[in-house]
Amino acid sequence: SVKSGDSSRCVSLSGSGSTDSGGCQRADSLDLANKHDSRWPRQNSLSMKEWDIPYDELKLFEVIGTGRFGTVYRGSWHGAVAVKVLHVLSDDCVPLDTFKHEVATFRKTRHENLVLFMGACMKPPRLAIVTSLCKGMTLYTHIHLRKDKFTANKSVIVAQQISQGMGYLHARGIIHKDLKTKNIFLENGKVVITDFGLFSVTKLCFGNKLVQSLRGDSLGIPAGWLCYLAPELCRALTPHASLHLPFSKATDVYAFGTVWYELLCGEYPFKSQPPEAVIWQVGKGVKQSLANMQASRDIKDILMLCWSYRSSERPDFPHLLTTLQKLPRKRLARSPSHPVHLSRSADS
Ligand code: ADP
Ligand code: MG
């Protein structure tokens, strides 16, 4: 079984549902040692060693930002990289198994619209994830900070690329769990999605903070997170259930709907409403009104489908991609001189 310490470097690990068959001798023998451990399925094991980056080999430069679960540094490891160092509060808070499972998930991803995973530091207390450094800005920066206008045509192109990357993730059995404009970079017109499948490990350490904030008066939920949560997630947002939220492919599709809305409207749905109000409305099936949104029926239909109350009624990403590809281009444009006024009244 996995223990912290040196042995963690070369432990054999199976990704969830991975069909890798290239496990080396060493991985096989370690796998045998693990065969009584139900956490590690026997088949498809591959040594994690090749993904393990010794912390000392990394050069860390300035902090790029601090997110919910850790600090991101610009770094260097055979070239420019982004290093996410997880905040580790105490040793027993380190969910090493979970972390390794998520690293195993990462290594299965090779797609143009997904950030390149390069490896991880897996030796507690130094847990870090190393990916390629994204150039360009996030959609969040474009939309909410710089107030850049995305024409409908450009929004469609961006949405198509997101659908492509997400369709790939889902086909590999990976749920993003944190799809949001802050996790989508735009590099010379190319979409790069980051932070897929990391939610569990981050919540295991930081969930407590969320739990406390939910118990508090102010709720303290990070702005711009709630509006990505599908009704079934909002309903599950009780202080104790927050670590076991029922994420699914359909909750990713709901989150995509919100990204689509941000692209088109330049703001979050339920903007400036308090968290309690958003949770209450979304949980019982109320959606942001599109009455004053200047967009074609087809575009609004995509939103409404992604935001369907029933998860089974939400389309999947291949379907969304086809729908986006069929949208008539000419009639999409909305006039940038007419900022969209959005009514706060909700329609169900
Ligand atoms: P969040 O996604 O909520 O902003 P993160 O911890 O994921 O929080 O990111 C912190 C900061 O680091 C953000 O400004 C984010 O844009 C930046 N960042 C994250 N990953 C990368 C990357 N691979 N390349 C460049 N910048 C990144
Ligand atoms: Mg992020």
Side-chain angles (χ1 to χ4, degrees):
S1 65
V2 178
K3 297 264 188 309
S4 57
D6 284 331
S7 62
S8 64
R9 280 257 180 98
C10 51
V11 82
S12 139
L13 183 73
S14 298
S16 46
S18 164
T19 50
D20 290 323
S21 55
C24 59
Q25 284 296 95
R26 185 184 181 92
D28 289 339
S29 58
L30 275 162
D31 194 42
L32 277 179
N34 283 333
K35 75 177 175 185
H36 299 300
D37 189 335
S38 58
R39 283 172 303 176
W40 312 116
R42 254 184 308 150
Q43 77 278 23
N44 312 324
S45 67
L46 182 71
S47 169
M48 287 298 277
K49 199 176 178 183
E50 61 184 294
W51 302 104
D52 194 353
I53 300 174
Y55 197 80
D56 305 338
E57 284 187 14
L58 290 172
K59 279 203 194 94
L60 297 186
F61 306 126
E62 78 275 7
V63 172
I64 302 175
T66 301
R68 277 205 298 272
F69 65 90
T71 304
V72 180
Y73 295 84
R74 188 174 69 82
S76 173
W77 188 72
H78 303 287
V81 292
V83 184
K84 306 204 143 200
V85 180
L86 301 197
H87 295 309
V88 174
L89 300 179
S90 65
D91 270 358
D92 44 319
C93 145
V94 183
L96 191 60
D97 296 359
T98 312
F99 180 70
K100 291 197 169 191
H101 268 291
E102 299 200 331
V103 168
T105 302
F106 258 126
R107 66 159 210 244
K108 295 193 290 177
T109 57
R110 289 156 198 270
H111 189 278
E112 184 164 33
N113 299 117
L114 300 179
V115 74
L116 177 70
F117 168 69
M118 298 181 72
C121 303
M122 293 183 263
K123 200 173 161 190
R126 300 208 189 277
L127 299 185
I129 290 169
V130 183
T131 63
S132 60
L133 184 72
C134 295
K135 293 156 227 100
M137 288 175 280
T138 63
L139 282 184
Y140 169 82
T141 303
H142 278 293
I143 295 171
H144 300 284
L145 302 182
R146 293 170 46 109
K147 312 277 178 199
D148 292 338
K149 297 277 176 244
F150 282 73
T151 62
N153 280 356
K154 193 167 176 203
S155 301
V156 170
I157 293 166
V158 168
Q160 283 177 357
Q161 295 183 56
I162 300 170
S163 303
Q164 249 156 13
M166 290 301 300
Y168 171 93
L169 275 185
H170 284 184
R172 304 229 112 196
I174 301 166
I175 300 169
H176 192 302
K177 301 182 184 174
D178 202 14
L179 184 64
K180 55 180 186 178
T181 45
K182 283 186 175 178
N183 283 336
I184 303 171
F185 281 82
L186 208 50
E187 294 183 343
N188 294 322
K190 190 180 87 171
V191 162
V192 178
I193 302 171
T194 66
D195 285 349
F196 26 90
L198 273 179
F199 194 85
S200 323
V201 70
T202 64
K203 282 300 160 228
L204 281 168
C205 274
F206 275 78
N208 292 343
K209 237 188 202 169
L210 180 70
V211 170
Q212 279 156 15
S213 61
L214 278 167
R215 282 204 198 107
D217 297 335
S218 64
L219 284 153
I221 294 170
W225 180 54
L226 269 183
C227 58
Y228 296 104
L229 297 188
E232 62 270 28
L233 294 176
C234 281
R235 297 169 76 97
L237 264 188
T238 62
H240 297 290
S242 59
L243 302 185
H244 307 284
L245 293 171
F247 288 105
S248 64
K249 290 178 183 174
T251 60
D252 278 351
V253 172
Y254 185 96
F256 169 85
T258 300
V259 172
W260 180 231
Y261 180 89
E262 291 173 73
L263 279 166
L264 297 163
C265 298
E267 58 187 38
Y268 285 122
F270 298 108
K271 193 184 153 204
S272 41
Q273 292 200 35
E276 308 83 313
V278 179
I279 295 173
W280 184 78
Q281 290 177 85
V282 174
K284 73 188 197 52
V286 177
K287 300 184 185 83
Q288 162 72 52
S289 167
L290 306 184
N292 295 310
M293 181 177 166
Q294 296 175 1
S296 69
R297 190 69 258 162
D298 304 340
I299 283 185
K300 293 186 182 183
D301 284 348
I302 296 176
L303 262 176
M304 284 301 144
L305 277 176
C306 293
W307 282 347
S308 295
Y309 183 72
R310 290 169 202 259
S311 58
S312 60
E313 285 169 13
R314 292 175 213 144
D316 59 16
F317 281 105
H319 182 92
L320 277 169
L321 185 60
T322 315
T323 311
L324 287 162
Q325 282 164 343
K326 282 187 192 154
L327 284 177
R329 291 298 161 88
K330 263 199 307 200
R331 308 187 52 179
L332 296 179
R334 84 177 150 82
S335 162
S337 59
H338 284 81
V340 181
H341 167 73
L342 291 158
S343 141
R344 299 285 158 252
S345 69
D347 55 7
S348 25

